[in-house]
Amino acid sequence: GTVNSESSEPYYDQMKRTCEESLARLGYGIDLFQLHGRISTDGAPRSLTPDQILRPNGILDAMEKLRDEWKYKWLGVTCLGDTDGIIEVLSSGRLDACQIYINAINPTAAHKKGRKPAPTSGQDFAGVLDTAKKKDLGVIAIRTLAAGALAGAPSPNARAMLTANTDPADRSEEHTSELQSPMYLVCSL
């Protein structure tokens, strides 16, 4: 379902209606209830701010209430958008899982926040994986093949699927050495 942040209808009511419709179509329950959308600190179009997500009667309040009513096991969020906003939401301690953008072209989610030098291209997700680890969140990797750029698949929209300032022509070997250590990203539902 979708949430209209500009509607006067409370988030809970919007989410309950669309969740009921989705569950009826599926015909069974779900374990992970995840907010999937961009997190923006500046209120960019088609995104949610950390305040909209975390405030009283905000998105997470609605998700928690729906979890309690429908017995979802876990709540999660997709980590796309502004890195500082993502880290603020993950740091809330109110989530169980997160979906993190990471691949060989842009492995910055595995970097410590504040490390030097910062990458010269691509969005810097530094600190996201570390925050997830500190909060004991389950992690799901997203866009591991960089919208097909790492698989060699021609895609007219590949650039749109990458993060800001990322060039799919970058050689992935140049970025692989930036990883702090080998990672195993597992999500068990």
Side-chain angles (χ1 to χ4, degrees):
T2 60
V3 173
N4 180 352
S5 62
E6 305 203 4
S7 171
S8 61
E9 183 181 19
Y11 293 133
Y12 171 80
D13 294 339
Q14 292 181 55
M15 295 172 82
K16 182 173 183 173
R17 182 183 65 259
T18 59
C19 284
E20 286 173 343
E21 292 166 358
S22 294
L23 290 171
R25 280 192 307 272
L26 286 170
Y28 55 87
I30 59 173
D31 290 327
L32 175 62
F33 185 30
Q34 181 152 324
L35 176 63
H36 182 71
R38 297 184 59 80
I39 298 171
S40 172
T41 54
D42 64 2
R46 300 183 61 189
S47 68
L48 293 168
T49 65
D51 179 64
Q52 290 172 306
I53 296 168
L54 299 172
R55 71 179 176 219
N57 296 313
I59 298 289
L60 270 177
D61 274 2
M63 290 175 72
E64 288 167 340
K65 187 173 180 182
L66 289 168
R67 176 191 57 199
D68 295 343
E69 289 175 5
W70 287 337
K71 311 274 190 273
Y72 296 128
K73 292 180 183 177
W74 301 292
L75 297 179
V77 66
T78 299
C79 298
L80 290 175
D82 299 332
T83 304
D84 289 339
I86 291 166
I87 289 172
E88 182 179 347
V89 171
L90 294 181
S91 296
S92 72
R94 298 171 65 187
L95 297 164
D96 305 297
C98 59
Q99 193 171 14
I100 294 177
Y101 182 101
I102 190 165
N103 56 54
I105 291 175
N106 187 341
T108 59
H111 297 173
K112 299 283 185 196
K113 185 119 178 110
R115 56 83 180 81
K116 302 290 182 201
T120 57
S121 68
Q123 181 172 344
D124 187 357
F125 286 103
V128 172
L129 192 57
D130 192 48
T131 302
K133 182 179 178 182
K134 287 177 183 172
K135 292 298 179 179
D136 197 29
L137 301 178
V139 173
I140 304 165
I142 185 174
R143 300 189 183 154
T144 56
L145 295 178
L150 292 172
S155 172
N157 296 319
R159 291 190 65 79
M161 295 299 290
L162 299 170
T163 57
N165 302 318
T166 301
D167 184 355
D170 282 354
R171 292 183 17 203
S172 62
E173 309 88 58
E174 293 175 9
H175 299 283
T176 306
S177 64
E178 295 177 11
L179 290 173
Q180 294 174 355
S181 61
M183 293 180 300
Y184 297 91
L185 304 177
V186 178
C187 179
S188 175
L189 297 180

